[in-house]
Amino acid sequence: MTLFKDKYRVESIRLPGYDYSQPGAYFITIVTHNRQCFFGNIIDGEMMLNEFGVLVKNEWLKTGIIRPNIVIDAFVVMPNHLHVIIIITDTKTETKTIEQFGKPTKNSIPTIVRLFKSTTTKQINQLRVSTPMQPLWQRNYYEHVIRNKVELNRIRQYIIDNPKKWKEDNLNKFL
């Protein structure tokens, strides 16, 4: 943490100077606020989505439909987080803008995650009658630039196996 304008702030976990709108594969984990289990339960090593989990899954799939240069690869909705591999295939069809601090870049990883979190929060808060307007997601998210096919396949397997390993998962707040 650093001090900025007499307040502590968390440093960015993003790669300095990296263009997160360029073609490539990215592994992303988005975690719920306070690791609350909003999306269903793991039963016998399989994820059983509830109404919110189905909504999150469907919204994530829409990400690949509404963006022609985005491929949704492996993903899993867990009780309190979402693991995804997203592939940006091409930026030639998009109007390229220079990424500037604090300014969204169309179809960049930060913009995609921000819009996904925003739309799922809005929809779920409309359904959460008893506790509306509570935060749904943690403020940030984890991302990793996937650098080769070996790493891509290893992460795919991690995503596939995640429900079976829920009891050992560090995002399982009931450990």
Side-chain angles (χ1 to χ4, degrees):
M1 283 205 253
T2 59
L3 196 59
F4 179 73
K5 293 187 178 182
D6 295 324
K7 293 183 181 181
Y8 284 99
R9 67 178 191 169
V10 176
E11 293 294 320
S12 174
I13 60 172
R14 310 290 162 245
L15 289 173
Y18 189 84
D19 180 359
Y20 283 93
S21 65
Q22 72 182 349
Y26 302 86
F27 172 53
I28 301 167
T29 300
I30 308 170
V31 181
T32 61
H33 184 73
N34 292 330
R35 297 183 181 179
Q36 295 175 76
C37 293
F38 285 126
F39 307 134
N41 295 302
I42 303 289
I43 300 173
D44 295 328
E46 288 193 42
M47 180 62 195
M48 302 306 210
L49 298 174
N50 62 19
E51 180 182 19
F52 298 161
V54 170
L55 187 147
V56 166
K57 176 184 175 183
N58 290 339
E59 282 303 317
W60 186 250
L61 288 170
K62 280 184 192 176
T63 299
I65 294 168
I66 63 175
R67 294 176 176 86
N69 68 321
I70 300 297
V71 173
I72 300 302
D73 198 281
F75 76 96
V76 65
V77 178
M78 295 293 288
N80 63 2
H81 64 283
L82 171 72
H83 289 303
V84 302
I85 295 174
I86 187 169
I87 299 171
I88 299 177
T89 59
D90 189 5
T91 55
K92 292 182 183 125
T93 58
E94 301 295 320
T95 305
K96 186 72 171 161
T97 57
I98 298 172
E99 192 161 355
Q100 298 175 352
F101 181 75
K103 302 227 179 196
T105 299
K106 187 176 181 180
N107 288 337
S108 69
I109 296 301
T111 299
I112 290 168
V113 171
R114 179 179 50 81
L115 292 173
F116 169 78
K117 287 167 75 171
S118 174
T119 192
T120 53
T121 298
K122 181 178 179 184
Q123 291 178 52
I124 287 174
N125 276 339
Q126 289 173 346
L127 298 172
R128 286 196 293 182
V129 180
S130 61
T131 56
M133 301 310 291
Q134 290 184 346
L136 177 63
W137 301 106
Q138 278 186 6
R139 186 180 147 277
N140 216 331
Y141 61 95
Y142 169 82
E143 59 74 21
H144 172 76
V145 178
I146 300 173
R147 293 173 171 39
N148 57 52
K149 286 196 183 244
V150 171
E151 192 174 37
L152 176 62
N153 289 330
R154 180 182 54 77
I155 294 170
R156 280 180 180 146
Q157 195 61 53
Y158 173 81
I159 289 171
I160 291 166
D161 293 341
N162 207 242
K164 293 177 208 144
K165 296 183 177 185
W166 175 241
K167 289 182 181 179
E168 299 97 46
D169 195 320
N170 67 351
L171 293 175
N172 181 350
K173 73 176 194 173
F174 300 108
L175 288 177

